[in-house]
Amino acid sequence: MYLITNFSDFQLACLGSFFIHESVFFLSGLPFIWLERAGCLSKYKIQAKTNSPASEERCIIRLLMYHFGVNLPLMIFSYPVFRYMGMRSSLPLPSWRVVLTQIIFYFILEDFVFYWGHRILHTKWLYKHVHSVHHEYATPFGLTSEYAHPAEILFLGFATILGPAVTGPHLITLWLWMVLRVLETVEAHCGYHFPWSPSNFLPLYGGADFHDYHHRLLYTKSGNYSSTFTYMDWVFGTDIGYRKLKALKNAEVEYSSEQKKH
């Protein structure tokens, strides 16, 4: 009630959304830099390689430039579209069933659109001139999830805002979607596979191990293009290399276990 009374729809939808995004993004992403520098939980790190402090700081500086120079203006200019489609911040709040249905729809739609957009970015010309910026970090950490060429931010950002744009959700639903999407992409780029990682519990969820494979291979052979789930890559055969590697690792673990028993 306080927010609705003291701030306009424009302020909440644009400035409020930007503040929430920045807070969630940096609070969830920065700890992975500390983990890497301190060497904590290193047994869960997917790659042995680490990033230099200078490269991490360069990432943070450019992210702030991209966020204020691209993300914030995008939020401001897309506001009329969301308002036209019915987005509101007033009471009453939507029911949990409506919120849950819309969030599930957003995840499915975003993953589908992102998959094809990401595959297009891995064509030779677009990779060289646009997507290669994101792949400057072959050993990703949480904050690299949004480190990308401005053109890519706009291109793949379309997948994230498409669902809310066509459904005109309550602002609370939009904020929840934004928080979940940020947490998902930070986790996918964090560089660690923990026992409590979502991919260990959620069927079809990709996670850090799935996406880390994408970053450490050459662009023409990487695969694993989906953002959240794994089924698109499975259906179109773009995860074959990853599945073969996983099968090989599992076989090695089983062999090692058998050797220890004997």
Side-chain angles (χ1 to χ4, degrees):
M1 182 64 73
Y2 174 82
L3 292 176
I4 297 173
T5 304
N6 292 276
F7 298 94
S8 67
D9 279 354
F10 174 81
Q11 290 173 322
L12 291 174
C14 299
L15 302 182
S17 297
F18 184 74
F19 174 78
I20 291 173
H21 172 274
E22 297 302 287
S23 299
V24 174
F25 177 71
F26 283 104
L27 287 175
S28 62
L30 284 171
F32 291 106
I33 292 181
W34 179 83
L35 283 178
E36 188 174 277
R37 291 186 181 183
C40 297
L41 303 176
S42 58
K43 67 178 179 178
Y44 300 121
K45 198 171 186 308
I46 300 169
Q47 296 188 49
K49 294 184 296 182
T50 59
N51 296 282
S52 67
S55 67
E56 293 169 340
E57 291 163 9
R58 177 170 58 89
C59 175
I60 294 173
I61 292 171
R62 289 195 180 182
L63 279 169
L64 290 171
M65 292 172 56
Y66 294 154
H67 286 182
F68 281 93
V70 180
N71 291 15
L72 181 57
L74 180 61
M75 290 180 180
I76 293 173
F77 287 115
S78 62
Y79 173 74
V81 176
F82 283 90
R83 285 291 294 171
Y84 177 78
M85 296 304 295
M87 186 190 73
R88 61 183 180 85
S89 60
S90 58
L91 297 174
L93 298 176
S95 69
W96 68 267
R97 291 184 180 86
V98 171
V99 173
L100 181 61
T101 301
Q102 289 181 331
I103 293 296
I104 292 174
F105 171 67
Y106 297 162
F107 267 113
I108 294 173
L109 180 63
E110 191 277 339
D111 194 66
F112 179 83
V113 176
F114 185 98
Y115 174 85
W116 292 110
H118 196 183
R119 282 194 70 172
I120 291 171
L121 286 174
H122 274 265
T123 55
K124 189 172 183 179
W125 190 91
L126 284 174
Y127 183 89
K128 179 180 179 181
H129 296 282
V130 179
H131 194 49
S132 59
V133 173
H134 182 64
H135 279 269
E136 287 177 14
Y137 293 89
T139 306
F141 53 95
L143 296 182
T144 59
S145 56
E146 295 191 4
Y147 181 86
H149 190 286
E152 179 177 340
I153 295 173
L154 295 173
F155 183 56
L156 291 184
F158 174 76
T160 301
I161 68 173
L162 179 59
V166 299
T167 59
H170 193 281
L171 187 58
I172 290 294
T173 307
L174 180 64
W175 283 351
L176 177 60
W177 160 239
M178 181 173 58
V179 168
L180 292 175
R181 180 70 181 98
V182 167
L183 292 176
E184 180 277 320
T185 192
V186 168
E187 193 275 332
H189 289 81
C190 74
Y192 290 82
H193 184 70
F194 301 111
W196 55 86
S197 293
S199 56
N200 293 328
F201 308 100
L202 301 177
L204 302 179
Y205 183 87
D209 188 64
F210 185 79
H211 193 69
D212 198 278
Y213 175 87
H214 173 83
H215 270 265
R216 64 180 185 264
L217 263 68
L218 292 173
Y219 81 93
T220 52
K221 301 177 181 179
S222 56
N224 291 18
Y225 299 114
S226 297
S227 61
T228 304
F229 306 112
T230 60
Y231 63 88
M232 288 290 289
D233 283 285
W234 179 79
V235 169
F236 294 100
T238 47
D239 67 343
I240 293 176
Y242 173 74
R243 285 191 279 122
K244 286 182 178 178
L245 180 63
K246 290 288 288 184
L248 182 62
K249 286 185 176 179
N250 291 335
E252 289 176 351
V253 171
E254 291 177 7
Y255 177 77
S256 178
S257 299
E258 288 296 322
Q259 291 293 103
K260 288 180 180 178
K261 289 179 181 179
H262 294 87

